[in-house]
Amino acid sequence: MFEQIKLDYGFDALEPYIDSETMATHYGKHHAAYTANFNKFAEQAGKTGESVENILAGVKEIEDPELRAGLRNNGGGYYNHNLYFRQMIPGGSKLPTGALAKKIDDTFGNFDAMKEKLTALAMGQFGSGWAWLSKTSDGSLVISKTDNQENPISLKTGHTPIMCIDVWEHAYYLKYKNLRASYVEALWNVINWDVVGELYEA
Ligand code: MN
């Protein structure tokens, strides 16, 4: 049985950047629904004993189109939001440190250059989707964007996501309406770089 990640902060703890009503709906309704549907499809597919990463990495090979779409959309929604909610903390944790900070500097020049590039991907995603900071098997960093609930695992890129930006309208419309840029800018204030650093070093 797949379970939503437990939040160690309240729905109102990310104010004013991410508002309480959005958190309650996003976590309590959207993520809850992805999780329930993922469990349903995983059971149908006889995959309840597998990790979500394994299921997503093998999703393209599932023959039944309804099962394939169900696992891709809901398994992706389950996985993506677990990372999204895990990577946030009230007040943020300032900036990356240690090995992650060094790799960001080596790869992008500096933190602000990475932020600018990833923000541009988030803004350039047409319609619903995600922007990603991921690590490769040799410890390199890459940024990318995906449609809907796809992610670097379901696309079989070989990359492991360590930080993400949800650009579905449900992530920001209650507070920011059509202003995706304002939401993305706000999100940078509540990223827990300690968690992202741990995922990078894992
Ligand atoms: Mn979402």
Side-chain angles (χ1 to χ4, degrees):
M1 177 99 162
F2 296 96
E3 291 182 7
Q4 281 178 273
I5 193 165
K6 298 278 182 286
L7 301 184
D8 53 12
Y9 52 86
F11 288 154
D12 61 351
L14 304 176
E15 296 266 9
Y17 304 110
I18 308 293
D19 63 289
S20 182
E21 191 185 4
T22 295
M23 280 297 301
T25 312
H26 201 180
Y27 180 87
K29 305 292 183 191
H30 292 279
H31 191 198
Y34 288 123
T35 303
N37 287 322
F38 179 41
N39 276 306
K40 190 187 75 183
F41 282 110
E43 193 167 332
Q44 267 181 42
K47 289 179 177 289
T48 49
E50 291 185 33
S51 70
V52 60
E53 290 89 346
N54 272 351
I55 294 172
L56 290 175
V59 83
K60 281 183 178 173
E61 283 83 55
I62 295 171
E63 281 184 23
D64 180 274
E66 194 193 341
L67 207 48
R68 185 169 65 242
L71 285 171
R72 173 185 282 128
N73 294 336
N74 294 288
Y78 167 76
Y79 175 94
N80 298 349
H81 288 92
N82 266 0
L83 177 61
Y84 181 77
F85 290 117
R86 181 180 173 191
Q87 69 178 0
M88 294 195 286
I89 188 174
S93 67
K94 316 312 173 211
L95 289 169
T97 55
L100 175 61
K102 184 173 184 311
K103 185 55 80 174
I104 287 173
D105 289 348
D106 290 349
T107 307
F108 302 98
N110 55 50
F111 177 80
D112 284 341
M114 184 279 287
K115 177 180 168 182
E116 200 174 302
K117 286 194 169 77
L118 192 53
T119 296
L121 284 183
M123 291 307 299
Q125 169 60 28
F126 184 79
S128 298
W130 295 75
W132 302 94
L133 176 65
S134 306
K135 66 171 181 178
T136 69
S137 53
D138 70 357
S140 300
L141 289 173
V142 288
I143 55 173
S144 63
K145 63 184 169 76
T146 60
D147 294 332
N148 301 314
Q149 296 296 356
E150 293 274 18
N151 64 38
I153 299 172
S154 58
L155 291 174
K156 301 202 83 163
T157 60
H159 305 158
T160 304
I162 61 170
M163 183 251 169
C164 58
I165 302 175
D166 185 348
V167 294
W168 283 60
E169 285 183 344
H170 68 225
Y172 60 90
Y173 216 84
L174 291 175
K175 179 178 173 74
Y176 294 100
K177 302 296 185 284
N178 58 315
L179 303 178
R180 183 189 285 186
S182 301
Y183 151 72
V184 173
E185 186 57 37
L187 183 68
W188 287 99
N189 291 293
V190 291
I191 297 297
N192 188 342
W193 289 104
D194 295 339
V195 164
V196 181
E198 282 165 21
L199 292 170
Y200 176 69
E201 292 187 47

